[in-house]
Amino acid sequence: MLAPLDTAMDVVRDERSEVAAERDAFAALADRIADCPVRSPQTAPDHDAGATVTGVGVSSVGPAADADPSERLRRAYRETVMSVDHYDAVYDESLFEHAATELGADLATALRGGVPLSPGFKSTLHDAVTDARAEREWFLERLRTEVESLTDARAALGDVVDTVPRDGSPPSATIDELRRRCDDVGRERQEVLRTQFRSAPDGLYEYLYRDQPWTHPVLNVVAMLVADLDGLRGIDDAGRFG
């Protein structure tokens, strides 16, 4: 009866672990970018190919970096963001595909090379990476809210399940009382759903529970329990509980 709640808690727990790993990876990448030394813009050499990013000038951190300063950034991206355990399973994207989604097409193109690591480019890139980390932090807060809601519902509905007999004997609490408890859980869950939707109407539950036969685990269990209680009410009305 409570299986959807247990499954949902496992799903959210796994999602939190992955998102936390990504948050930490972007934080590490931001630190790596911050450690990259640059010089003030000078006269730029001609580049036959490459991308332009607003604020990009010329910098130098040595001859090798002058040849392709983006290689240091690409290596940092691979060693942080792309090194999380679930990267291949969840994303399975090239560095440039992933960077385009997370940082924007211009910065992803710039990482291909041909764009010097100027102070402007470094600042723009660092800000984009910091924003990606902040997005994970914000999402983790939404997942924390979901875990709390699931935990509270699991406890309340578990008490109802424990009270409903499975052997045809009358429940220890009145059916009306058990129904009221279910209704309370349903109302509380609806409030959580409204709050999450106001925060971001982005299909959070469709995303989290996309592999499940239900989208709203708490309401699913409430509906099943209410149906059981209605069945017990019919038995009670027939006088089978004595």
Side-chain angles (χ1 to χ4, degrees):
M1 180 68 73
L2 299 174
L5 296 178
D6 295 332
T7 298
M9 294 177 74
D10 287 341
V11 168
V12 178
R13 187 179 301 112
D14 290 345
E15 186 71 17
R16 289 181 78 186
S17 177
E18 291 180 358
V19 175
E22 292 179 15
R23 175 203 59 193
D24 295 344
F26 276 110
L29 178 58
D31 290 342
R32 295 275 290 269
I33 293 169
D35 288 340
C36 291
V38 297
R39 286 197 308 196
S40 299
Q42 300 172 356
T43 303
D46 292 333
H47 295 284
D48 293 333
T52 59
V53 177
T54 301
V56 170
V58 177
S59 64
S60 174
V61 291
D66 282 340
D68 187 6
S70 297
E71 173 53 32
R72 178 173 182 171
L73 298 174
R74 292 194 297 271
R75 183 170 63 252
Y77 202 99
R78 293 189 188 98
E79 293 175 354
T80 55
V81 175
M82 296 179 70
S83 70
V84 295
D85 292 339
H86 61 274
Y87 185 87
D88 289 338
V90 173
Y91 296 105
D92 192 26
E93 295 175 330
S94 71
L95 183 155
F96 304 113
E97 290 172 326
H98 192 265
T101 300
E102 296 293 344
L103 310 179
D106 286 347
L107 287 173
T109 301
L111 290 176
R112 291 182 180 274
V115 176
L117 185 61
S118 70
F121 179 24
K122 176 180 175 178
S123 177
T124 300
L125 180 61
H126 189 272
D127 287 348
V129 170
T130 300
D131 287 345
R133 184 208 61 77
E135 288 175 1
R136 267 69 181 183
E137 194 67 55
W138 172 76
F139 191 45
L140 283 171
E141 182 62 22
R142 298 186 72 193
L143 294 176
R144 182 192 64 78
T145 298
E146 178 68 356
V147 168
E148 291 179 352
S149 176
L150 292 172
T151 301
D152 291 346
R154 176 69 168 76
L157 296 176
D159 287 343
V160 174
V161 169
D162 291 342
T163 303
V164 175
R166 300 296 169 184
D167 58 1
S169 60
S172 58
T174 67
I175 295 174
D176 286 341
E177 169 62 19
L178 297 175
R179 178 66 183 265
R180 184 191 63 76
R181 293 185 200 174
C182 290
D183 290 343
D184 287 346
V185 172
R187 280 192 294 269
E188 291 171 5
R189 180 61 174 180
Q190 291 284 10
E191 182 56 35
V192 170
L193 298 181
R194 285 191 289 268
T195 299
Q196 293 275 40
F197 184 82
R198 285 193 296 267
S199 174
D202 56 2
L204 171 65
Y205 302 101
E206 290 78 4
Y207 166 73
L208 285 176
Y209 307 126
R210 59 193 179 279
D211 295 328
Q212 308 304 323
W214 34 258
T215 302
H216 299 289
V218 175
L219 300 182
N220 178 273
V221 173
V222 167
M224 289 191 292
L225 277 173
V226 166
D228 277 4
L229 291 172
D230 287 345
L232 287 176
R233 185 186 301 279
I235 295 174
D236 192 23
D237 290 344
R240 290 175 57 190
F241 286 152

